[in-house]
Amino acid sequence: ETGVTQSPTHLIKTRGQQVTLRCSSQSGHNTVSWYQQALGQGPQFIFQYYREEENGRGNFPPRFSGLQFPNYSSELNVNALELDDSALYLCASSLPVDRGTDGYTFGSGTRLTVV
Amino acid sequence: AQSVTQLGSHVSVSEGALVLLRCNYSSSVPPYLFWYVQYPNQGLQLLLKYTTGATLVKGINGFEAEFKKSETSFHLTKPSAHMSDAAEYFCAVTKYTGTASKLTFGTGTRLQVTL
């Protein structure tokens, strides 16, 4: 079975630009979550998607948005990039939301640098 | 609100020595607890999890953790460190909101293994 795949692995953007990050979930997983991990910090929850709808969100502004597609893959979009958006963005997939008793399978992340 | 505190941002042990990484949690409801490992430039890999049942949980790579409700702790141990254990370790607690579940991570502990 395949794991979670994220693309691209690295990218550099200029402040004010927009970026789209992509994630393919593990086979059989229909719930996708996105996390931001700043340098030297633990990951912070951005939002979660289930059945193509956002069903949970962390303390991130509206310029962070996402999509989930019928095949359970997902995108994270960030508009009006700021320097503080520089981080490792992690996608995690899991089995259907069931109180989070199962672990989440994480991708290797996308390293975003905003200059 | 649920949270985890990892004591010690850096831990150094000799190869073959005991590994002890500390994690304390705060939760108003019975928690589901996880330990993840992150190798350089990689995503997170699940080491072990506690949901219900036996309080001593065994994970991959010889790691184990014990859930102690009276101490609100979930410390990670390994009897004998190996050079390949050098990585960043994150303790996490999950919260189910009724519609979504999210992981709340600690700030991480970097484990260094020396000869």
Side-chain angles (χ1 to χ4, degrees):
Chain A
E1 84 188 356
T2 59
V4 175
T5 304
Q6 293 187 242
S7 63
T9 55
H10 296 80
L11 75 165
I12 300 174
K13 289 287 189 178
T14 302
R15 187 172 50 183
Q17 285 188 314
Q18 178 266 342
V19 68
T20 297
L21 311 182
R22 295 178 174 81
C23 171
S24 294
S25 62
Q26 180 169 313
S27 177
H29 287 186
N30 62 4
T31 301
V32 175
S33 305
W34 286 91
Y35 289 80
Q36 181 196 66
Q37 185 179 17
L39 199 61
Q41 300 294 317
Q44 298 290 316
F45 176 73
I46 302 175
F47 44 55
Q48 183 175 83
Y49 277 82
Y50 173 62
R51 292 185 174 179
E52 303 177 49
E53 292 191 0
E54 182 184 300
N55 68 345
R57 190 176 184 92
N59 294 325
F60 282 82
R63 58 190 186 83
F64 285 79
S65 63
L67 286 171
Q68 186 181 32
F69 300 99
N71 66 354
Y72 308 138
S73 65
S74 177
E75 289 183 351
L76 165 65
N77 299 291
V78 186
N79 293 321
L81 283 167
E82 302 177 359
L83 297 179
D84 285 347
D85 296 333
S86 295
L88 180 67
Y89 288 85
L90 296 165
C91 172
S93 72
S94 59
L95 291 169
V97 175
D98 60 351
R99 298 181 177 274
T101 55
D102 282 298
Y104 300 72
T105 303
F106 281 82
S108 297
T110 294
R111 174 72 63 186
L112 172 65
T113 302
V114 182
V115 297
Chain B
Q2 295 179 309
S3 66
V4 291
T5 301
Q6 293 185 240
L7 300 176
S9 58
H10 289 83
V11 170
S12 182
V13 300
S14 300
E15 190 174 35
L18 171 71
V19 175
L20 171 61
L21 304 183
R22 300 177 185 273
C23 173
N24 288 88
Y25 69 90
S26 171
S27 176
S28 58
V29 297
Y32 300 132
L33 294 159
F34 303 82
W35 276 99
Y36 282 87
V37 61
Q38 186 175 36
Y39 297 100
N41 300 313
Q42 294 191 25
L44 301 172
Q45 181 182 10
L46 179 65
L47 279 177
L48 49 80
K49 64 182 180 182
Y50 169 78
T51 54
T52 59
T55 57
L56 182 62
V57 180
K58 295 187 183 298
I60 62 173
N61 301 338
F63 284 94
E64 63 182 36
E66 186 171 9
F67 171 66
K68 292 187 176 180
K69 184 178 180 180
S70 61
E71 299 177 8
T72 62
S73 69
F74 190 57
H75 302 330
L76 182 70
T77 61
K78 182 174 181 177
S80 177
H82 191 273
M83 295 296 289
S84 61
D85 295 326
E88 187 90 20
Y89 291 80
F90 292 95
C91 181
V93 62
T94 193
K95 177 180 181 180
Y96 180 64
T97 65
T99 56
S101 61
K102 71 169 189 177
L103 287 166
T104 298
F105 288 87
T107 52
T109 298
R110 182 168 298 279
L111 176 65
Q112 179 182 19
V113 182
T114 60
L115 290 172

